[in-house]
Amino acid sequence: QVQLVESGGGLVQPGGSLRLSCAASAVITINTMGWYRQAPGKQRELVATMTSSGRTNYADSVKGRFTVTRDNARNMVYLQMNSLKPEDAAVYYCNAAGIATLTRWYREVWGQGTLVTVSS
């Protein structure tokens, strides 16, 4: 059973930084890993993703402030968030797509989410 476990959320003041981490268990390879977020009353949206070859995709709203990185050997993905704004507050979800395990292939798996609050 593939699981994604996020950590690193919390409360930060505007202009501050946070680093989110996500670890995937019971996997062999993952094509794309990344982060989505969902604010209250809004749809879940892409934040940033990275393929296993290093190609990244960022939402325009976070370009220049957020950086997604991966450790393929450890099946982990990180999101460094700098210059945080109140509008960045949301539940951040780790996502993995194109997952191969010893027994099967998964199209997509989600983590349980970690809350990021940006407030003074």
Side-chain angles (χ1 to χ4, degrees):
Q1 181 77 12
V2 175
Q3 284 190 320
L4 303 180
V5 178
E6 301 113 329
S7 60
L11 172 64
V12 63
Q13 292 185 342
S17 298
L18 278 177
R19 185 180 189 236
L20 305 183
S21 300
C22 173
S25 61
V27 301
I28 304 298
T29 60
I30 303 173
N31 183 18
T32 302
M33 293 188 80
W35 298 90
Y36 291 71
R37 67 187 181 187
Q38 187 167 19
K42 296 188 176 181
Q43 289 189 331
R44 191 173 297 188
E45 63 177 4
L46 167 77
V47 177
T49 60
M50 177 178 273
T51 68
S52 57
S53 61
R55 181 164 51 91
T56 58
N57 184 30
Y58 289 94
D60 288 342
S61 60
V62 307
K63 285 180 180 177
R65 300 187 299 122
F66 291 11
T67 302
V68 62
T69 56
R70 280 180 67 168
D71 183 336
N72 290 331
R74 299 174 63 194
N75 290 313
M76 294 191 70
V77 64
Y78 307 93
L79 184 68
Q80 178 66 43
M81 304 185 292
N82 298 328
S83 302
L84 281 159
K85 304 175 181 180
E87 52 263 41
D88 294 317
V91 177
Y92 283 70
Y93 295 91
C94 180
N95 175 273
I99 307 156
T101 70
L102 284 175
T103 57
R104 60 167 289 187
W105 182 85
Y106 294 79
R107 188 184 74 84
E108 188 174 53
V109 175
W110 292 92
Q112 80 284 357
T114 185
L115 179 64
V116 172
T117 304
V118 184
S119 175
S120 54

